[in-house]
PDB file of all heavy atoms in Angstrom:
ATOM      1  N   TYR B 112      59.581  92.111  77.093  1.00  0.00           N
ATOM      2  CA  TYR B 112      60.352  92.859  78.049  1.00  0.00           C
ATOM      3  C   TYR B 112      61.855  92.316  78.020  1.00  0.00           C
ATOM      4  O   TYR B 112      62.052  91.169  77.971  1.00  0.00           O
ATOM      5  CB  TYR B 112      59.757  92.709  79.411  1.00  0.00           C
ATOM      6  CG  TYR B 112      58.357  93.323  79.362  1.00  0.00           C
ATOM      7  CD1 TYR B 112      57.227  92.597  79.149  1.00  0.00           C
ATOM      8  CD2 TYR B 112      58.217  94.638  79.690  1.00  0.00           C
ATOM      9  CE1 TYR B 112      55.930  93.140  79.114  1.00  0.00           C
ATOM     10  CE2 TYR B 112      56.938  95.302  79.622  1.00  0.00           C
ATOM     11  CZ  TYR B 112      55.840  94.487  79.328  1.00  0.00           C
ATOM     12  OH  TYR B 112      54.583  95.082  79.293  1.00  0.00           O
ATOM     13  N   TRP B 113      62.722  93.278  78.127  1.00  0.00           N
ATOM     14  CA  TRP B 113      64.130  93.005  78.215  1.00  0.00           C
ATOM     15  C   TRP B 113      64.641  93.610  79.500  1.00  0.00           C
ATOM     16  O   TRP B 113      64.437  94.822  79.727  1.00  0.00           O
ATOM     17  CB  TRP B 113      64.910  93.593  77.047  1.00  0.00           C
ATOM     18  CG  TRP B 113      64.689  93.002  75.772  1.00  0.00           C
ATOM     19  CD1 TRP B 113      63.839  91.984  75.438  1.00  0.00           C
ATOM     20  CD2 TRP B 113      65.297  93.392  74.530  1.00  0.00           C
ATOM     21  NE1 TRP B 113      63.995  91.662  74.107  1.00  0.00           N
ATOM     22  CE2 TRP B 113      64.802  92.617  73.498  1.00  0.00           C
ATOM     23  CE3 TRP B 113      66.179  94.396  74.158  1.00  0.00           C
ATOM     24  CZ2 TRP B 113      65.138  92.679  72.132  1.00  0.00           C
ATOM     25  CZ3 TRP B 113      66.608  94.506  72.840  1.00  0.00           C
ATOM     26  CH2 TRP B 113      66.076  93.615  71.834  1.00  0.00           C
ATOM     27  N   ALA B 114      65.273  92.839  80.368  1.00  0.00           N
ATOM     28  CA  ALA B 114      65.974  93.366  81.562  1.00  0.00           C
ATOM     29  C   ALA B 114      67.409  93.732  81.199  1.00  0.00           C
ATOM     30  O   ALA B 114      68.165  92.799  80.933  1.00  0.00           O
ATOM     31  CB  ALA B 114      65.842  92.406  82.725  1.00  0.00           C
ATOM     32  N   HIS B 115      67.734  94.952  81.266  1.00  0.00           N
ATOM     33  CA  HIS B 115      69.076  95.401  80.879  1.00  0.00           C
ATOM     34  C   HIS B 115      69.976  95.255  82.157  1.00  0.00           C
ATOM     35  O   HIS B 115      69.707  95.953  83.134  1.00  0.00           O
ATOM     36  CB  HIS B 115      69.072  96.828  80.329  1.00  0.00           C
ATOM     37  CG  HIS B 115      70.422  97.330  79.910  1.00  0.00           C
ATOM     38  ND1 HIS B 115      70.831  98.579  80.173  1.00  0.00           N
ATOM     39  CD2 HIS B 115      71.386  96.670  79.273  1.00  0.00           C
ATOM     40  CE1 HIS B 115      72.060  98.639  79.613  1.00  0.00           C
ATOM     41  NE2 HIS B 115      72.445  97.575  79.019  1.00  0.00           N
ATOM     42  N   ILE B 116      71.045  94.487  82.070  1.00  0.00           N
ATOM     43  CA  ILE B 116      71.828  94.163  83.221  1.00  0.00           C
ATOM     44  C   ILE B 116      73.249  94.631  83.084  1.00  0.00           C
ATOM     45  O   ILE B 116      74.144  94.243  83.852  1.00  0.00           O
ATOM     46  CB  ILE B 116      71.828  92.670  83.632  1.00  0.00           C
ATOM     47  CG1 ILE B 116      72.234  91.847  82.408  1.00  0.00           C
ATOM     48  CG2 ILE B 116      70.459  92.254  84.070  1.00  0.00           C
ATOM     49  CD1 ILE B 116      72.681  90.417  82.735  1.00  0.00           C
ATOM     50  N   THR B 117      73.550  95.519  82.074  1.00  0.00           N
ATOM     51  CA  THR B 117      74.928  95.923  81.945  1.00  0.00           C
ATOM     52  C   THR B 117      75.266  97.005  82.979  1.00  0.00           C
ATOM     53  O   THR B 117      76.379  97.134  83.370  1.00  0.00           O
ATOM     54  CB  THR B 117      75.185  96.481  80.504  1.00  0.00           C
ATOM     55  OG1 THR B 117      74.571  95.606  79.605  1.00  0.00           O
ATOM     56  CG2 THR B 117      76.626  96.566  80.224  1.00  0.00           C
ATOM     57  N   THR B 118      74.222  97.698  83.450  1.00  0.00           N
ATOM     58  CA  THR B 118      74.405  98.852  84.383  1.00  0.00           C
ATOM     59  C   THR B 118      73.963  98.418  85.764  1.00  0.00           C
ATOM     60  O   THR B 118      73.291  97.384  85.944  1.00  0.00           O
ATOM     61  CB  THR B 118      73.738 100.085  83.918  1.00  0.00           C
ATOM     62  OG1 THR B 118      72.358  99.636  83.612  1.00  0.00           O
ATOM     63  CG2 THR B 118      74.369 100.692  82.722  1.00  0.00           C
ATOM     64  N   GLY B 119      74.279  99.236  86.758  1.00  0.00           N
ATOM     65  CA  GLY B 119      73.902  98.858  88.099  1.00  0.00           C
ATOM     66  C   GLY B 119      75.042  98.188  88.832  1.00  0.00           C
ATOM     67  O   GLY B 119      76.009  97.623  88.213  1.00  0.00           O
ATOM     68  N   THR B 120      74.968  98.123  90.204  1.00  0.00           N
ATOM     69  CA  THR B 120      76.016  97.347  90.927  1.00  0.00           C
ATOM     70  C   THR B 120      75.901  95.886  90.650  1.00  0.00           C
ATOM     71  O   THR B 120      74.839  95.496  90.094  1.00  0.00           O
ATOM     72  CB  THR B 120      75.819  97.558  92.385  1.00  0.00           C
ATOM     73  OG1 THR B 120      74.537  97.068  92.744  1.00  0.00           O
ATOM     74  CG2 THR B 120      75.957  99.028  92.860  1.00  0.00           C
ATOM     75  N   HIS B 121      76.882  95.167  90.876  1.00  0.00           N
ATOM     76  CA  HIS B 121      76.856  93.691  90.708  1.00  0.00           C
ATOM     77  C   HIS B 121      75.706  93.147  91.459  1.00  0.00           C
ATOM     78  O   HIS B 121      75.035  92.206  90.998  1.00  0.00           O
ATOM     79  CB  HIS B 121      78.157  93.061  91.120  1.00  0.00           C
ATOM     80  CG  HIS B 121      79.283  93.314  90.104  1.00  0.00           C
ATOM     81  ND1 HIS B 121      80.602  93.182  90.363  1.00  0.00           N
ATOM     82  CD2 HIS B 121      79.214  93.800  88.858  1.00  0.00           C
ATOM     83  CE1 HIS B 121      81.365  93.546  89.390  1.00  0.00           C
ATOM     84  NE2 HIS B 121      80.523  93.978  88.460  1.00  0.00           N
ATOM     85  N   VAL B 122      75.457  93.682  92.603  1.00  0.00           N
ATOM     86  CA  VAL B 122      74.264  93.160  93.428  1.00  0.00           C
ATOM     87  C   VAL B 122      72.995  93.422  92.614  1.00  0.00           C
ATOM     88  O   VAL B 122      72.187  92.545  92.552  1.00  0.00           O
ATOM     89  CB  VAL B 122      74.279  93.928  94.779  1.00  0.00           C
ATOM     90  CG1 VAL B 122      72.963  93.625  95.483  1.00  0.00           C
ATOM     91  CG2 VAL B 122      75.487  93.406  95.636  1.00  0.00           C
ATOM     92  N   ALA B 123      72.866  94.604  92.014  1.00  0.00           N
ATOM     93  CA  ALA B 123      71.724  94.873  91.320  1.00  0.00           C
ATOM     94  C   ALA B 123      71.525  93.978  90.054  1.00  0.00           C
ATOM     95  O   ALA B 123      70.452  93.533  89.732  1.00  0.00           O
ATOM     96  CB  ALA B 123      71.656  96.396  90.848  1.00  0.00           C
ATOM     97  N   GLN B 124      72.668  93.655  89.491  1.00  0.00           N
ATOM     98  CA  GLN B 124      72.630  92.781  88.338  1.00  0.00           C
ATOM     99  C   GLN B 124      72.194  91.328  88.709  1.00  0.00           C
ATOM    100  O   GLN B 124      71.352  90.759  88.078  1.00  0.00           O
ATOM    101  CB  GLN B 124      74.052  92.715  87.655  1.00  0.00           C
ATOM    102  CG  GLN B 124      74.428  93.969  86.978  1.00  0.00           C
ATOM    103  CD  GLN B 124      75.874  94.079  86.629  1.00  0.00           C
ATOM    104  OE1 GLN B 124      76.667  93.196  86.877  1.00  0.00           O
ATOM    105  NE2 GLN B 124      76.241  95.213  86.067  1.00  0.00           N
ATOM    106  N   ILE B 125      72.717  90.972  89.915  1.00  0.00           N
ATOM    107  CA  ILE B 125      72.262  89.583  90.375  1.00  0.00           C
ATOM    108  C   ILE B 125      70.822  89.611  90.684  1.00  0.00           C
ATOM    109  O   ILE B 125      70.101  88.674  90.398  1.00  0.00           O
ATOM    110  CB  ILE B 125      73.135  89.215  91.702  1.00  0.00           C
ATOM    111  CG1 ILE B 125      74.597  88.999  91.292  1.00  0.00           C
ATOM    112  CG2 ILE B 125      72.532  88.115  92.402  1.00  0.00           C
ATOM    113  CD1 ILE B 125      75.578  88.933  92.462  1.00  0.00           C
ATOM    114  N   CYS B 126      70.348  90.684  91.349  1.00  0.00           N
ATOM    115  CA  CYS B 126      68.895  90.799  91.667  1.00  0.00           C
ATOM    116  C   CYS B 126      68.036  90.724  90.393  1.00  0.00           C
ATOM    117  O   CYS B 126      67.047  90.051  90.337  1.00  0.00           O
ATOM    118  CB  CYS B 126      68.637  92.036  92.412  1.00  0.00           C
ATOM    119  SG  CYS B 126      69.295  92.037  94.104  1.00  0.00           S
ATOM    120  N   MET B 127      68.514  91.457  89.337  1.00  0.00           N
ATOM    121  CA  MET B 127      67.715  91.470  88.075  1.00  0.00           C
ATOM    122  C   MET B 127      67.697  90.017  87.535  1.00  0.00           C
ATOM    123  O   MET B 127      66.657  89.502  87.114  1.00  0.00           O
ATOM    124  CB  MET B 127      68.407  92.350  87.098  1.00  0.00           C
ATOM    125  CG  MET B 127      68.131  93.820  87.178  1.00  0.00           C
ATOM    126  SD  MET B 127      66.436  94.201  86.909  1.00  0.00           S
ATOM    127  CE  MET B 127      66.652  95.409  85.564  1.00  0.00           C
ATOM    128  N   PHE B 128      68.800  89.337  87.591  1.00  0.00           N
ATOM    129  CA  PHE B 128      68.865  87.954  87.126  1.00  0.00           C
ATOM    130  C   PHE B 128      67.936  87.058  87.949  1.00  0.00           C
ATOM    131  O   PHE B 128      67.129  86.368  87.339  1.00  0.00           O
ATOM    132  CB  PHE B 128      70.297  87.381  87.200  1.00  0.00           C
ATOM    133  CG  PHE B 128      70.427  85.887  87.122  1.00  0.00           C
ATOM    134  CD1 PHE B 128      70.410  85.346  85.892  1.00  0.00           C
ATOM    135  CD2 PHE B 128      70.429  85.119  88.327  1.00  0.00           C
ATOM    136  CE1 PHE B 128      70.528  83.981  85.757  1.00  0.00           C
ATOM    137  CE2 PHE B 128      70.492  83.744  88.204  1.00  0.00           C
ATOM    138  CZ  PHE B 128      70.551  83.179  86.890  1.00  0.00           C
ATOM    139  N   LEU B 129      68.008  87.213  89.258  1.00  0.00           N
ATOM    140  CA  LEU B 129      67.055  86.417  90.114  1.00  0.00           C
ATOM    141  C   LEU B 129      65.575  86.647  89.816  1.00  0.00           C
ATOM    142  O   LEU B 129      64.784  85.761  89.752  1.00  0.00           O
ATOM    143  CB  LEU B 129      67.390  86.691  91.573  1.00  0.00           C
ATOM    144  CG  LEU B 129      68.768  86.220  92.065  1.00  0.00           C
ATOM    145  CD1 LEU B 129      69.012  86.687  93.525  1.00  0.00           C
ATOM    146  CD2 LEU B 129      68.840  84.692  92.021  1.00  0.00           C
TER     147      LEU B 129
END
Side-chain angles (χ1 to χ4, degrees):
Chain B
Y112 298 91
W113 291 359
H115 183 219
I116 54 163
T117 317
T118 48
T120 59
H121 290 161
V122 168
Q124 291 165 1
I125 290 166
C126 289
M127 282 291 241
F128 166 82
L129 292 172

